[in-house]
Amino acid sequence: MRCEYKDGFKVDYSGSLHISKGSGVDLVVEGSQLSANVKSCLDSAVNRNSCHELRAASKAATKSIQEAFEVE
């Protein structure tokens, strides 16, 4: 499923997740690297054909990546 938003944000999910926005963001995460929770949310968005849910699930995926870089 591919969704494009008015702010230039694009999400493509078909097992792996591809997120882009302009020339500054281009992220690909293989399906095997997604957490079960995020993958479940992405799959649910596709099943419902909901671009709103797909964006929210993509945001959760990027948040988990950001958290991995934080130092405690």
Side-chain angles (χ1 to χ4, degrees):
M1 178 175 178
R2 180 177 173 91
C3 297
E4 296 184 28
Y5 306 89
K6 291 179 182 179
D7 64 356
F9 193 76
K10 297 176 187 173
V11 178
D12 187 4
Y13 176 69
S14 57
S16 61
L17 177 64
H18 183 197
I19 300 169
S20 62
K21 184 171 182 183
S23 60
V25 176
D26 192 14
L27 173 70
V28 177
V29 182
E30 295 297 323
S32 61
Q33 300 299 312
L34 294 167
S35 71
N37 184 43
V38 169
K39 189 168 177 128
S40 175
C41 291
L42 290 165
D43 290 338
S44 176
V46 170
N47 288 335
R48 295 173 190 245
N49 198 33
S50 172
C51 284
H52 176 75
E53 288 183 32
L54 188 63
R55 184 172 182 146
S58 299
K59 185 175 182 179
T62 58
K63 182 178 179 187
S64 68
I65 293 168
Q66 180 181 356
E67 288 171 351
F69 284 96
E70 293 178 1
V71 178
E72 294 183 23

